[in-house]
Amino acid sequence: MEAALYGPGGFYVRPGGPGPAGHFRTSVHASPLYAGAVARLLLWLDAELGHPAGLDLVDMGAGRGELVAGVLAALPPEVAARVRPYAVERAERPGGLDPRIRWTAEPPAGTTGLLFANEWLDNVPLEIAEDGHYVLVAPDGTESRGGPLDEADRAWLERWWPEPGRAEIGRARDEAWAAAVATLDRGLAVAVDYAHTRDARPPFGTLTGFRAGREAAPVPDGSCDVTAHVALDACAGPGATLLTQREALGALGVSGARPPLALAGTDPAGYVRALAAAGEAAELTARGGLGAFGWLVQPVGTAPWPGAART
């Protein structure tokens, strides 16, 4: 999985390609309302931190930088002027990106602000296990039985995925998330992904691929995205809260409610705009769709986000 996604010619680092948006649709691509919601979260955090002279915004797994650019555009100018924006991505910097955005392969250390990881953890490579052994996957997708699980992976399964059969070992993702959170001195770390918890693990796993907007066989040859859902409860550190995207975006003011019909009579153009925004909000918060994504919200040296407490 590491080689298929990030090795030479890997899916995410291949130069000249369309980027993730050319193969699958995330909340970032669905609507600018998403970046606006993240901007409002950053504004709350800015006030909580006492309006620091430098307010860091770290976008993990930034793709082509769409989210961090959208958040900058949604912020009041006086706040945006204090923001130090980082796009953390292993691919090359795309042309035309806002020059204020710092492009880096690793999150900067010692930051104060918001670290936001939208659909990053699902692409952190993991091991597949079945009946106490690793599952080996050849470049053509053929699977074979590997050696017995090592002690650390066996212990992870016993704690987080105890059901027998096929499982996806999330230990590498736990470690990746902990390392990302550790770069924050003060602030909030948020991971958003399609997820599951210990009481509802998928019995046959979730490993799959995406290519050109369609689900595909997870062939690890660099031709497609290879992804698996995230055990977010295993990633959660002290003080973290788990909630759904529908709950989180609702707390940030994103609602799919239709505008009042009376607006059509007084401001027809405004009604059409509001109706379009309501449709986009409905997609972002849809039960069983993007709204069912998990949000892991973890404070570091600051108060918990009140939006998580209201769910």
Side-chain angles (χ1 to χ4, degrees):
M1 191 171 174
E2 170 71 26
L5 297 180
Y6 305 111
F11 179 78
Y12 279 106
V13 299
R14 186 186 305 117
H23 295 275
F24 49 84
R25 180 179 173 87
T26 73
S27 295
V28 177
H29 310 120
S31 171
L33 294 175
Y34 191 75
V38 176
R40 288 190 291 277
L41 180 61
L42 184 59
L43 288 173
W44 170 84
L45 183 59
D46 181 40
E48 183 66 28
L49 293 170
H51 307 290
L55 180 64
D56 295 306
L57 171 61
V58 182
D59 181 11
M60 297 292 300
R64 295 297 184 265
E66 300 97 332
L67 177 59
V68 65
V71 173
L72 283 175
L75 289 170
E78 64 274 14
V79 178
R82 290 188 288 109
V83 169
R84 295 182 296 224
Y86 297 88
V88 182
E89 181 57 68
R90 293 168 70 172
E92 294 182 359
R93 182 188 182 101
L97 188 66
D98 188 324
R100 294 175 294 175
I101 298 172
R102 308 171 195 194
W103 196 264
T104 177
E106 299 290 340
T111 51
T112 297
L114 177 63
L115 182 143
F116 201 90
N118 185 74
E119 294 197 42
W120 169 58
L121 285 172
D122 67 274
N123 287 125
V124 172
L126 48 60
E127 298 284 355
I128 307 296
E130 192 162 1
D131 298 328
H133 286 72
Y134 293 107
V135 175
L136 306 180
V137 185
D140 65 357
T142 303
E143 294 186 355
S144 61
R145 183 182 175 94
L149 300 178
D150 66 29
E151 184 176 345
D153 284 340
R154 187 180 298 276
W156 189 93
L157 286 177
E158 288 175 354
R159 180 178 181 186
W160 294 110
W161 199 317
E163 294 82 3
R166 190 177 179 96
E168 294 152 359
I169 305 171
R171 184 167 64 89
R173 293 169 170 187
D174 300 354
E175 293 169 353
W177 179 243
V181 173
T183 64
L184 271 175
D185 280 350
R186 291 183 67 215
L188 206 63
V190 180
V192 182
D193 236 306
Y194 32 83
H196 45 68
T197 54
R198 191 180 187 277
D199 59 350
R201 301 289 187 219
F204 304 108
T206 61
L207 187 70
T208 191
F210 286 94
R211 182 190 298 113
R214 296 179 180 273
E215 193 166 5
V219 179
D221 62 358
S223 68
C224 67
D225 181 28
V226 179
T227 178
H229 293 202
V230 182
L232 273 183
D233 53 342
C235 296
T241 302
L242 287 172
L243 61 160
T244 67
Q245 176 154 298
R246 182 180 178 86
E247 294 167 334
L249 292 186
L252 291 166
V254 177
S255 169
R258 294 171 63 92
L261 190 58
L263 183 63
T266 59
D267 183 3
Y271 177 77
V272 171
R273 289 193 298 271
L275 194 62
E280 293 175 4
E283 180 182 1
L284 290 173
T285 59
R287 292 184 173 92
L290 292 174
F293 274 40
W295 277 48
L296 169 58
V297 183
Q298 188 159 330
V300 177
T302 189
W305 174 48
R310 288 200 296 268
T311 61

